Amino acid sequence: MPNNNQIIQWYPGHMSKAIRNIEQDLRLIDIVIEVLDARIPQSSRNESLEKLCGKKPLVLVLNKSDLADDALTKRWLQYYRHKGYQAISLYAVQKRGIKDLVTAVSKAAEPLQKRLEAKGRERRPVRAMVVGIPNTGKSTVINALTDNAVAKTGNKPGVTRGRQWLKTSLGIELMDTPGISWPKFTSAEAAYKLAATGAVADAAFPVYPVADYMVQWIAAHHPQGITERYQMETLSGDTQQILGAIGHKRGILASGGIVRLEDVALIFLQEYRKGKLGRFTLESPE
């Protein structure tokens, strides 16, 4: 793995404000839906959220399941359910898993509904807050639930800014919140994973060390992802040699035939994020 010991830091001021808003808004909601990236279910969890939520039920959504390893996604779901969470996988762009999410929200809110009935009151729509670190697809999940593109979406981390209440026809009222991260990443490993999958803005870190991390990870676990994508007979050498070979094949050259390694590194990361190298989950429950 990369020898670069510098841990990536990215905590824009609007995220600090979002944390304060969540603390204030928790009294208005019944449950919290936390959207995770299925490729990095643990690294994309903001565990400080659980402390913020207190006793509010928490539903975990492993989104972008289309980019993750199916077998590992199932193991992660088993892991979280064993810990007592309602947890589902989702491909929000295609709305695959939305029914499972609605069922999980209903189960999480059932104790509340029973308390209302015990007081002689009618059941009401579940009020849910949707949270998640940037670029996990939080707004896409909301749009899938509302069946309308009413929440602003984008492919850049932190695109959602304001607070919105959104009604659905599924018995759920959603409070949208800005994606939030944490002030300091707990390890360089987690930081590299978050940067590689796009949770951290590209401008916030040097691209080459992150591409180095992903080249080495894929070479060690799924080398065919690189050899098949870039039509290589074998995979040998270090990251510079691998990216150099890709640069020559793609014609990403400066004057004198020198490979523009930074440009190749960025293209490599972009193609990984789009699933063009394969469906990989970078961590397991163990």
Side-chain angles (χ1 to χ4, degrees):
M1 294 303 168
N3 293 320
N4 188 336
N5 291 321
Q6 181 181 6
I7 297 180
I8 300 159
Q9 297 295 340
W10 193 62
Y11 195 66
H14 76 273
M15 291 187 181
S16 180
K17 182 179 179 182
I19 289 281
R20 293 194 298 270
N21 288 341
I22 286 175
E23 288 179 302
Q24 295 169 3
D25 294 338
L26 277 170
R27 60 188 175 80
L28 303 174
I29 59 99
D30 305 318
I31 71 167
V32 176
I33 300 172
E34 184 177 4
V35 182
L36 312 178
D37 188 323
R39 297 168 294 181
I40 49 170
Q42 191 62 28
S43 294
S44 60
R45 280 208 70 192
N46 185 344
E47 295 188 357
S48 62
L49 278 175
E50 195 152 12
K51 297 176 183 177
L52 283 175
C53 293
K55 295 182 180 180
K56 300 284 184 181
L58 186 62
V59 176
L60 301 181
V61 176
L62 276 63
N63 191 33
K64 301 189 178 183
S65 61
D66 59 305
L67 299 175
D69 180 281
D70 279 334
L72 274 170
T73 296
K74 290 176 182 177
R75 284 165 57 188
W76 273 109
L77 292 176
Q78 291 173 349
Y79 170 81
Y80 284 131
R81 288 167 182 166
H82 182 71
K83 286 183 168 289
Y85 299 105
Q86 294 291 333
I88 63 104
S89 64
L90 187 64
Y91 177 17
V93 173
Q94 295 292 332
K95 299 184 181 180
R96 296 178 191 167
I98 286 296
K99 290 183 179 178
D100 293 335
L101 175 53
V102 173
T103 298
V105 168
S106 297
K107 286 182 178 179
E110 186 61 18
L112 165 72
Q113 301 288 22
K114 287 183 176 179
R115 286 197 297 270
L116 290 175
E117 289 179 332
K119 295 177 181 178
R121 297 164 61 184
E122 292 185 358
R123 292 187 173 220
R124 58 167 174 76
V126 179
R127 296 165 187 160
M129 177 186 288
V130 183
V131 299
I133 68 166
N135 215 33
T136 52
K138 184 171 62 71
S139 294
T140 309
V141 171
I142 293 170
N143 292 341
L145 283 168
T146 58
D147 205 29
N148 284 297
V150 292
K152 187 177 180 182
T153 60
N155 57 6
K156 294 182 180 180
V159 74
T160 310
R161 287 290 187 271
R163 187 191 315 156
Q164 306 176 70
W165 271 105
L166 307 169
K167 292 187 177 182
T168 77
S169 60
L170 304 170
I172 304 170
E173 292 180 355
L174 300 173
M175 177 185 284
D176 183 28
T177 58
I180 59 175
S181 190
W182 45 89
K184 186 175 182 178
F185 296 118
T186 55
S187 70
E189 183 88 3
Y192 280 119
K193 291 175 184 176
L194 289 161
T197 54
V200 182
D202 288 342
F205 61 87
V207 169
Y208 188 88
V210 178
D212 180 24
Y213 175 88
M214 282 310 305
V215 168
Q216 292 189 47
W217 191 94
I218 297 174
H221 297 87
H222 303 279
Q224 71 279 5
I226 298 175
T227 56
E228 291 177 4
R229 175 65 183 171
Y230 301 109
Q231 299 179 343
M232 298 177 175
E233 291 185 5
T234 59
L235 191 62
S236 60
D238 60 15
T239 296
Q240 184 171 339
Q241 291 171 309
I242 293 170
L243 291 181
I246 294 171
H248 279 293
K249 283 182 173 292
R250 293 285 181 90
I252 307 171
L253 308 172
S255 59
I258 299 173
V259 175
R260 304 199 309 269
L261 281 175
E262 287 289 324
D263 292 341
V264 179
L266 181 58
I267 289 170
F268 183 88
L269 285 179
Q270 290 171 340
E271 297 200 342
Y272 157 69
R273 291 169 184 167
K274 293 176 182 177
K276 292 185 177 181
L277 304 179
R279 298 175 58 179
F280 310 137
T281 300
L282 304 185
E283 50 198 20
S284 67
E286 294 76 21

